[in-house]
Amino acid sequence: MVEWTEFERTTIQDIFSKMNYDVVGQQSLARCLIVYPWTQRYFGNFGNLYNAAAIMGNPMVAAHGKVVLHGLDRAVKNMDNIKATYAELSVLHSEKLHVDPDNFRLLGDCLTVVVAAQLGAAFTPEVQAAFQKFLAVVISSLRRQYQ
Amino acid sequence: MSLTAKDKDVVKAFWGKISSKADAIGQEALGRMLVVYPQTKIYFAHWPDYSLGSAQVNKHGKTVMRAITDAVGKMDDLIGGLSSLSDLHATTLRVDPGNFKILSHNILVTLAVHFPADFTAEVHVAVDKFLAALSAALADKYR
């Protein structure tokens, strides 16, 4: 089981409680599709992903970014049991969506950059470490069913 | 994943914007890396203080960032331009090249923290590509 320090718990709860999921979801997913264009392979039916402006303005990207963030929220609310919380999502991503699990880290990195931009100096190295540890646990749980 | 003419223009323009803060960015990126990826401390086992703001982190962060800024001017031939630095990293320092990606990530995070409006997705992809090309050039002499 993952051990969280008080600082890590508080930091994660604090970041997500203040977050606008709609904005951060849209920004993170759009950034992922722009910075790592091969991730567009999973969104063939999303219409115009032709360039950065199109991706940023695409309503399906925005809607899906929100879905992803709300999925992340489940881990925030169950920090002591992320593995079990994500069992179904793991199966979904591996069996149905066939997402290369390396892509989880790419989206995680984009989310980190978006949150860093939002928090500015408040995103200290220690806060970054806690946030990235949380994402690493989430990603590891999502990867579980791929074995 | 080679740098297009547009990538190079975007990187040069952005680097122009950040130039006054470049040293601080390098220092903070290095400091972040040592906290968020503690395994990287092994390369600095002789330092008395790894914390952000320490004399060692400040000096070395500045050194690294100046070399990166220098590489911005060498984007047309990174492998040639970074040849001696590659020798250094390969034969003397023997830094596992996986760590270049780690430091790059922390540079991106630091840029996002200090330039949230300017570090758009388009700048992000160009800078990420540049740092990846730089890392590959740095690893060129490894074997």
Side-chain angles (χ1 to χ4, degrees):
Chain A
M1 213 194 77
V2 183
E3 299 283 338
W4 301 102
T5 65
E6 245 341 283
F7 173 80
E8 286 164 350
R9 281 183 199 279
T10 312
T11 298
I12 298 304
Q13 297 305 315
D14 195 50
I15 290 177
F16 282 88
S17 70
K18 295 181 174 143
M19 192 191 282
N20 181 329
Y21 283 23
D22 291 2
V23 168
V24 172
Q26 180 269 329
Q27 290 280 313
S28 305
L29 183 60
R31 204 167 268 254
C32 188
L33 296 170
I34 292 165
V35 179
Y36 308 106
W38 54 94
T39 57
Q40 293 168 26
R41 77 186 301 281
Y42 303 109
F43 305 102
N45 63 332
F46 270 32
N48 188 358
L49 298 178
Y50 189 61
N51 55 34
I55 292 170
M56 276 294 173
N58 186 309
M60 289 181 83
V61 170
H64 196 69
K66 198 170 149 182
V67 166
V68 170
L69 257 288
H70 282 281
L72 210 53
D73 187 63
R74 290 164 62 180
V76 176
K77 303 249 176 347
N78 292 282
M79 279 178 74
D80 287 319
N81 208 2
I82 295 176
K83 201 163 76 184
T85 305
Y86 271 28
E88 265 181 53
L89 273 172
S90 182
V91 170
L92 173 75
H93 283 76
S94 66
E95 313 277 301
K96 185 162 175 258
L97 303 176
H98 304 295
V99 178
D100 184 332
D102 285 343
N103 293 162
F104 301 149
R105 185 183 45 84
L106 300 181
L107 180 57
D109 284 352
C110 287
L111 179 60
T112 302
V113 165
V114 168
V115 169
Q118 297 237 321
L119 297 182
F123 197 65
T124 64
E126 291 73 22
V127 166
Q128 181 187 344
F131 190 73
Q132 291 198 207
K133 177 176 167 178
F134 172 72
L135 289 182
V137 173
V138 163
I139 287 168
S140 158
S141 305
L142 269 177
R143 292 184 82 118
R144 273 198 75 78
Q145 289 309 122
Y146 281 77
Q147 268 112 292
Chain B
M1 301 199 229
S2 52
L3 294 169
T4 63
K6 183 177 170 210
D7 290 328
K8 293 179 194 176
D9 285 344
V10 169
V11 169
K12 284 187 182 140
F14 183 70
W15 233 258
K17 278 195 185 140
I18 73 165
S19 60
S20 60
K21 271 184 144 180
D23 286 350
I25 301 280
Q27 291 162 347
E28 187 178 317
L30 185 67
R32 280 182 187 276
M33 184 186 80
L34 296 166
V35 169
V36 182
Y37 301 87
Q39 71 273 18
T40 56
K41 291 194 280 199
I42 61 140
Y43 292 105
F44 309 103
H46 52 289
W47 285 4
D49 189 352
Y50 299 112
S51 53
L52 190 57
S54 76
Q56 292 81 27
V57 172
N58 279 349
K59 180 163 180 261
H60 197 64
K62 200 166 139 179
T63 302
V64 169
M65 197 64 175
R66 289 201 174 181
I68 294 175
T69 296
D70 197 54
V72 171
K74 296 178 175 170
M75 280 190 286
D76 291 334
D77 180 19
L78 283 170
I79 290 185
L82 289 166
S83 177
S84 53
L85 272 175
S86 184
D87 281 327
L88 175 72
H89 284 75
T91 58
T92 309
L93 303 175
R94 283 179 287 196
V95 176
D96 188 309
N99 293 292
F100 301 152
K101 214 175 212 176
I102 293 177
L103 181 58
S104 297
H105 169 73
N106 285 289
I107 291 172
L108 298 177
V109 168
T110 306
L111 291 173
V113 163
H114 291 281
F115 297 92
D118 294 305
F119 195 61
T120 61
E122 274 147 314
V123 169
H124 181 163
V125 60
V127 174
D128 192 40
K129 284 179 76 176
F130 163 61
L131 292 175
L134 197 164
S135 301
L138 211 51
D140 190 61
K141 299 283 180 319
Y142 271 64
R143 55 175 176 176

